[in-house]
Amino acid sequence: MADKQISLPAKLINGGIAGLIGVTCVFPIDLAKTRLQNQQNGCRLYTSMSDCLIKTIRSEGYFGMYRGAAVNLTLVTPEKAIKLAANDFFRHHLSKDGKLTLFKEMLAGCGAGTCQVIVTTPMEMLKIQLQDAGRIAAQRKLMPETVAAGTVEAKSPTAMQLTRQLLKEKGIAGLYKGLGATLLRDVPFSIIYFPLFANLNNLGKRGLDGPAPFYVSFISGCAAGSTAAVAVNPVDVIKTRLQSLNRGSTEDTYSGVTDCIRKILRNEGPAAFLKGAYCRALVIAPLFGIAQVVYFLGVGELILSFLPKKHD
């Protein structure tokens, strides 16, 4: 019976390793997504993802594409671990009373998305400031008319400097700015992603109880991840705008989710809510494809098997 119980430590290790590998692979695309989403009419520096990455390399060097990566790599381990392990935990307990219906799968995803925002919100808050710093610097050089007169160019802050500044000025609430928008993004994402992945993955299983091949898990993770990512992209645009602290003098500021929606619709039109959608799909697809392969290969279980076992 014990063998059938889920191993939470193993799930946490799997989620953490998967997050580290995935983020390292796709971080430059995530940086392009953030910069494209933050562009407003009249302040457009980048025309596409490739244009953004080329200009970033030219102005900031190759490692400019990895601004904010340290924050993500540090916090993505607990973030992905919580998300994947929580979903597994809720699915396990919801299936005890009978068949795991689609509604129960969605409920488990909802629980996972809610749990992960504890780590996601401060991680995204810091990451967005670091990723967008290069856009502000480039805007200052190439479009000086969009920068307030007399503004002195500041050095790009580090994650620790940003954290200390936010805690000093606004307390812990400073790190959780955009919490509501993050919930509005991550809960629907998980409600869509986890049931879709599970059902796609089941199509490739070997027999009723056999595991799906790793390539089926990878493809299922990519397909479910990209679908969920595009579906919630409008909320991701809102979250990115709300969490960005530095703006050009001609760019809008927002007091909350409703104010952000109203101003984007008025000044940029409905299409603005799809900014960075294909970048986000390109980020999320391999990220969750890799995550599910690591998860289903049982890397965490393998690591734990080498640890000395306690004997009664």
Side-chain angles (χ1 to χ4, degrees):
M1 185 70 180
D3 292 337
K4 292 185 178 180
Q5 291 178 351
I6 63 168
S7 170
L8 192 58
K11 301 303 181 188
L12 291 171
I13 293 169
N14 284 330
I17 292 172
L20 288 173
I21 296 170
V23 167
T24 302
C25 294
V26 302
F27 194 82
I29 305 172
D30 187 61
L31 178 135
K33 176 206 71 106
T34 296
R35 294 187 177 185
L36 289 169
Q37 285 182 339
N38 260 334
Q39 287 190 138
Q40 297 185 24
N41 289 349
C43 306
R44 291 174 61 84
L45 284 170
Y46 314 113
T47 58
S48 64
M49 179 186 74
S50 57
D51 181 55
C52 178
L53 292 176
I54 290 167
K55 286 178 178 175
T56 298
I57 293 171
R58 284 177 181 169
S59 62
E60 303 167 55
Y62 175 80
F63 290 105
M65 294 191 299
Y66 282 87
R67 279 178 180 263
V71 172
N72 233 31
L73 288 171
T74 302
L75 294 179
V76 77
T77 303
E79 188 256 352
K80 281 289 175 289
I82 290 170
K83 188 188 190 87
L84 294 172
N87 179 69
D88 229 32
F89 175 83
F90 288 123
R91 287 175 71 91
H92 176 74
H93 284 279
L94 287 169
S95 63
K96 281 183 175 179
D97 299 326
K99 184 182 176 183
L100 193 64
T101 61
L102 179 60
F103 175 75
K104 287 182 178 179
E105 288 184 316
M106 294 172 72
L107 199 60
C110 178
T114 304
C115 289
Q116 80 169 93
V117 297
I118 299 166
V119 177
T120 304
T121 307
M123 177 182 77
E124 295 267 322
M125 181 69 188
L126 295 172
K127 184 192 73 171
I128 284 170
Q129 313 318 314
L130 296 168
Q131 286 182 330
D132 206 40
R135 182 185 71 90
I136 299 297
Q139 190 174 306
R140 191 186 305 276
K141 292 176 183 176
L142 301 175
M143 305 172 71
E145 70 279 3
T146 65
V147 180
T151 303
V152 180
E153 184 171 355
K155 289 179 69 176
S156 297
T158 65
M160 285 304 298
Q161 287 171 338
L162 277 169
T163 303
R164 282 196 296 265
Q165 180 186 343
L166 286 167
L167 288 174
K168 183 180 177 181
E169 293 177 0
K170 300 180 181 179
I172 194 70
L175 289 172
Y176 279 87
K177 183 178 181 182
L179 174 62
T182 306
L183 273 168
L184 287 173
R185 181 196 69 173
D186 288 350
V187 171
F189 178 93
S190 295
I191 288 173
I192 296 168
Y193 171 77
F194 285 111
L196 182 57
F197 166 78
N199 286 281
L200 289 174
N201 197 55
N202 283 339
L203 295 176
K205 278 191 172 181
R206 295 169 177 153
L208 289 174
D209 299 317
F214 79 92
Y215 61 86
V216 172
S217 293
F218 178 77
I219 293 170
S220 299
C222 289
S226 57
T227 301
V230 173
V232 302
N233 193 77
V235 189
D236 191 53
V237 172
I238 295 165
K239 184 198 71 67
T240 300
R241 296 282 182 94
L242 289 175
Q243 288 186 321
S244 297
L245 299 176
N246 296 317
R247 300 192 179 283
S249 60
T250 61
E251 293 180 328
D252 288 325
T253 56
Y254 313 103
S255 60
V257 172
T258 305
D259 181 55
C260 184
I261 294 170
R262 186 173 62 250
K263 286 180 178 176
I264 289 175
L265 283 173
R266 185 181 65 208
N267 300 328
E268 302 171 64
F273 290 108
L274 293 178
K275 284 184 177 181
Y278 68 100
C279 288
R280 183 161 164 76
L282 287 174
V283 168
I284 296 295
L287 189 61
F288 277 88
I290 292 166
Q292 293 299 349
V293 170
V294 172
Y295 211 62
F296 279 85
L297 285 176
V299 177
E301 287 83 351
L302 180 64
I303 292 171
L304 289 176
S305 71
F306 288 106
L307 297 178
K309 294 179 173 62
K310 291 183 180 180
H311 297 284
D312 295 330

